[in-house]
């Protein structure tokens, strides 16, 4: 029997250990062979705050002892005016306790909490072709975007890609930094992030992104507070020194050797010049030259963003798994 789900108001060290047990068991069952994040890394992601959203945690216990961890959920409630309608949910049930109603009760509780917070949309991800899809569909969720998760082994980067950073692009130059953007580029990077909000995301009701200098700097600081490192490569327009495009890579806090590719984008006025491939090839060069502990990179790619899929394929990324983002429209109170 599971206890009624309730949010963790003051999670303890034991709560985080229990959370990790659920997460590790689910990964081993659902995606065998993939490394399990360390307990410290998982805790850092669950507890590192941001002004962009408020995070609520649920841990459901029960079983024969009454304290066995059965399921967990994370709910992110966004604070920006254009995204206050949105709640993102990650929900995981221990494989030994599935199909017993625990997941249904937890999802219903988290959805009700989102409605109570004034949200009109709940988004949750499920593995493509898994029982998670039917679980969500039978509860009124609709598929809104399909993602392909990709993996690149740095030893497998094609030789032609390794030579790309050496090739000049007339009117542009590359620069890079770690952590918070240099002050001289902060406003330009914020403008660039605001300008690329047209990246395809299916029919997701995400709302407009809102970037300014403070948020650009805070995003990098959040990565650092998790114990990770943010690397950025940018293409600058030589005419005025502004950011024409950028790509971001996050190095892990643990010794997994797996980095995560974040956003890559070129501003609309600078597309068609091969900047995306050029910037990402330079990032791979830097990773190999300056961070030998990194052996592979993972990223996710919306399937309707065909240009980025083709670009990643050219770099040597190969499909790892596929997921579907589902959304539920709520009746706002």
């Amino acid at each position: 029997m599971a206890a009624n789900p309730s949010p963790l108001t003051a999670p303890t060290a034991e709560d985080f250990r229990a959370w990790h047990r659920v997460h590790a068991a689910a990964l081993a069952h659902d995606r065998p062979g993939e490394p399990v994040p360390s307990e410290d890394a998982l805790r850092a992601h669950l507890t590192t705050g941001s002004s962009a959203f408020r995070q609520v945690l649920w841990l459901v216990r029960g079983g024969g002892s009454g304290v066995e961890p059965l399921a967990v959920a994370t709910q992110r409630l966004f604070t920006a005016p254009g995204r206050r309608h949105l709640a993102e949910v990650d929900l995981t049930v221990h494989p030994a306790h599935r199909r017993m109603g625990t997941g249904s009760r937890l999802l219903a509780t988290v959805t009700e909490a989102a409605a109570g917070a004034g949200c009109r949309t709940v988004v949750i991800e499920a593995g493509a072709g898994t029982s998670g899809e039917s679980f969500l569909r039978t509860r009124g969720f609709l598929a809104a975007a399909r993602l392909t998760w990709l993996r690149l082994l740095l030893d497998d980067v094609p030789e032609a890609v390794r030579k790309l950073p050496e090739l000049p692009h007339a009117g542009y130059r590359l620069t890079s930094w770690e952590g918070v953007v240099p002050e001289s580029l902060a406003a330009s990077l914020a403008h660039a992030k605001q300008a690329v909000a047209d990246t395809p995301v299916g029919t997701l009701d995400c709302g407009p992104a809102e970037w300014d200098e403070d948020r650009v700097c805070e995003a990098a600081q959040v990565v650092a507070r998790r114990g990770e490192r943010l690397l950025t490569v940018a293409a600058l327009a030589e005419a005025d020194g502004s950011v024409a495009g950028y790509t971001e890579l996050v190095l892990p806090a643990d010794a997994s050797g797996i980095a995560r590719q974040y956003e890559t984008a070129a501003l609309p006025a600078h597309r068609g010049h091969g900047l995306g491939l050029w910037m990402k090839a330079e990032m791979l060069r830097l990773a190999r030259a300056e961070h030998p502990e990194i052996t592979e990179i993972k990223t996710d790619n919306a399937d309707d963003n065909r240009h980025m899929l083709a670009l990643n394929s050219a770099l040597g990324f190969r499909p790892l798994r596929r997921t579907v983002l589902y959304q539920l429209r709520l009746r706002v109170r």
Side-chain angles (χ1 to χ4, degrees), residues 74-330:
T74 306
Q75 180 188 65
R76 285 175 292 278
L77 302 170
F78 290 83
T79 56
R83 292 192 165 181
R84 288 176 184 164
H85 68 282
L86 178 65
E88 289 184 351
V89 173
D90 294 324
L91 189 151
T92 305
V93 180
H94 193 292
H97 299 281
R98 294 176 181 174
R99 302 183 185 277
M100 298 179 183
T102 301
S104 297
R105 289 193 294 274
L106 181 54
L107 180 60
T109 300
V110 174
T111 300
E112 179 67 18
C119 297
R120 71 167 185 260
T121 303
V122 175
V123 174
I124 188 168
E125 189 172 4
T130 69
S131 59
E133 285 203 84
S134 57
F135 171 79
L136 293 172
R137 286 196 298 264
T138 58
R139 288 155 181 81
F141 284 78
L142 299 176
R146 299 185 180 277
L147 306 179
T148 296
W149 289 76
L150 304 163
R151 177 191 190 204
L152 171 64
L153 299 178
L154 289 186
D155 285 344
D156 293 344
V157 174
E159 188 62 31
V161 171
R162 300 184 188 191
K163 296 179 179 179
L164 286 176
E166 304 170 8
L167 302 178
H169 284 55
Y172 301 95
R173 62 182 176 87
L174 292 174
T175 188
S176 62
W177 63 85
E178 178 178 328
V180 175
V181 59
E183 185 176 355
S184 61
L185 291 175
S188 184
L189 180 62
H191 171 76
K193 283 183 170 284
Q194 190 68 43
V196 297
D198 61 342
T199 302
V201 287
T203 59
L204 284 175
D205 180 22
C206 293
E210 297 182 14
W211 289 94
D212 57 21
E213 293 180 53
D214 289 341
R215 187 181 171 196
V216 164
C217 293
E218 188 198 17
Q221 292 163 353
V222 167
V223 172
R225 289 201 296 270
R226 295 197 305 247
E228 300 168 331
R229 301 163 70 183
L230 175 66
L231 307 182
T232 305
V233 170
L236 304 184
E238 290 185 335
D240 59 5
S242 64
V243 174
Y246 60 90
T247 186
E248 300 166 323
L249 188 72
V250 174
L251 307 184
D254 56 24
S256 68
I258 303 174
R260 176 75 186 274
Q261 175 75 61
Y262 271 25
E263 192 172 47
T264 299
L267 276 72
H270 298 281
R271 292 173 186 169
H273 299 283
L275 298 185
L277 192 62
W278 193 37
M279 294 185 298
K280 294 187 80 164
E282 170 65 3
M283 182 68 84
L284 295 180
R285 186 195 68 78
L286 289 174
R288 289 173 57 85
E290 300 181 9
H291 303 281
E293 75 280 6
I294 300 302
T295 59
E296 65 181 87
I297 297 173
K298 290 182 179 177
T299 190
D300 62 283
N301 205 143
D303 284 2
D304 55 357
N305 191 349
R306 296 177 182 270
H307 172 75
M308 191 57 66
L309 278 170
L311 190 155
N312 282 326
S313 178
L315 290 166
F317 281 88
R318 296 295 177 259
L320 179 64
R321 57 189 173 91
R322 290 180 169 83
T323 60
V324 183
L325 292 174
Y326 279 82
Q327 67 183 6
L328 177 69
R329 300 300 179 94
L330 303 175

